[in-house]
Amino acid sequence: MKIAVINFSGNVGKSTVAQHLLAPRMNNAPIIAIESINSDGKDNGALRGSQFDELQDQLMTLKNAVVDIGASNVEDFVGLMQKYDGSHEDFDLFVVPTVPAVKQQVDTIATLRALSEDIGVPATKIKLIFNAVDPKQHVVKVFGRVFEFHAAKKGFVLSPDAIIFENPIFEKIKGFDMSISDIRNDPIDYLAMNADAIKSGAPEEQKAFIRHMVALKRLANRVTTELDAVFKAVVH
């Protein structure tokens, strides 16, 4: 599959969805991050047509891929998909994460409208994911604007099961070059390692890392099951 993760807004969890939800369940599909046109990584320009050509070529050589489109490039990306008529067909799905904040919901609606009305992506290929949701709150109430838009337009797939709940692992895992699936499947017994570290008088930095990994693995077990359910709701 080829999946684009997209939203006009930042801070909705696009990279989290790409790295921790999608890629590990797509045979560790490569993640193509569209963040900047500059080799130095500075995000101060538009996505150029030449790069869009390269992306299309790359997608045609891959069996599976996740394209993570940075917020600063989404508008240009959408414009180029309009210019390259039919280029949206390179993707099997467009995944649009959103969060409870009002601004992000408004931007999410603009993204859904652009995909459906401006580009012509079929409704069945646009999937919404509710992210960073408080499990104590009702999703319909929290995301009322999005539900109202769906009731009026029906231009995308809205599943109440496509929910990623708040979990401290998403903050704790930042800076680690590992997915949640990698951590869950890590065969190292960190509890035994912790006992050995205490016994041997290991440096505090090492012991702190071990404790951090124990916490991550415990959190990963639960959240992996939840992400499996979200993936099933979105992809299948």
Side-chain angles (χ1 to χ4, degrees):
M1 296 194 76
K2 317 288 174 59
I3 299 179
V5 185
I6 185 169
N7 196 311
F8 282 128
S9 185
N11 301 313
V12 294
K14 289 190 292 290
S15 295
T16 294
V17 166
Q19 182 179 357
H20 299 300
L21 172 66
L22 297 175
R25 292 164 181 81
M26 295 166 58
N27 295 319
N28 290 316
I31 298 174
I32 303 171
I34 298 180
E35 293 289 351
S36 172
I37 67 167
N38 301 312
S39 60
D40 60 6
K42 293 181 180 179
D43 191 7
N44 59 2
L47 184 71
R48 292 184 296 197
S50 60
Q51 286 184 299
F52 198 75
D53 287 339
E54 292 169 11
L55 175 62
Q56 291 180 95
D57 287 344
Q58 190 171 2
L59 288 175
M60 285 188 283
T61 67
L62 295 170
K63 184 176 181 180
N64 297 300
V66 179
V67 179
D68 177 9
I69 306 161
S72 61
N73 289 98
V74 172
E75 187 174 348
D76 298 298
F77 190 86
V78 168
L80 287 164
M81 276 198 291
Q82 290 177 276
K83 186 175 294 184
Y84 287 74
D85 188 34
S87 59
H88 66 274
E89 295 175 0
D90 291 341
F91 295 97
D92 298 289
L93 291 177
F94 289 83
V95 170
V96 183
T98 189
V99 293
V102 172
K103 180 187 181 302
Q104 274 71 24
Q105 288 194 52
V106 171
D107 288 343
T108 295
I109 290 170
T111 305
L112 295 166
R113 181 176 280 118
L115 291 172
S116 177
E117 299 177 10
D118 299 341
I119 299 175
V121 180
T124 55
K125 294 177 66 173
I126 305 172
K127 304 293 186 78
L128 189 74
I129 291 180
F130 302 106
N131 187 33
V133 179
D134 183 343
K136 296 178 182 179
Q137 295 185 325
H138 197 286
V139 67
V140 177
K141 184 176 181 180
V142 174
F143 294 94
R145 288 173 176 79
V146 176
F147 275 87
E148 288 174 7
F149 180 70
H150 182 260
K153 295 294 185 179
K154 297 288 194 302
F156 59 99
V157 177
L158 186 156
S159 170
D161 296 322
I163 304 175
I164 300 175
F165 293 105
E166 290 178 330
N167 192 301
I169 195 170
F170 296 116
E171 188 63 33
K172 289 178 178 289
I173 203 171
K174 288 182 178 178
F176 277 71
D177 190 23
M178 300 174 72
S179 70
I180 291 172
S181 294
D182 291 335
I183 289 174
R184 186 195 190 197
N185 297 327
D186 186 349
I188 297 174
D189 186 343
Y190 288 100
L191 287 174
M193 184 182 290
N194 184 61
D196 290 341
I198 293 173
K199 185 176 180 179
S200 65
E204 177 57 30
E205 183 180 355
Q206 180 182 343
K207 291 188 287 187
F209 171 78
I210 294 170
R211 293 194 299 270
H212 191 71
M213 291 304 298
V214 170
L216 284 177
K217 281 181 69 69
R218 288 172 173 172
L219 290 168
N221 286 329
R222 173 64 180 272
V223 79
T224 297
T225 302
E226 293 177 354
L227 293 177
D228 286 343
V230 175
F231 185 79
K232 182 177 180 180
V234 171
V235 175
H236 299 297

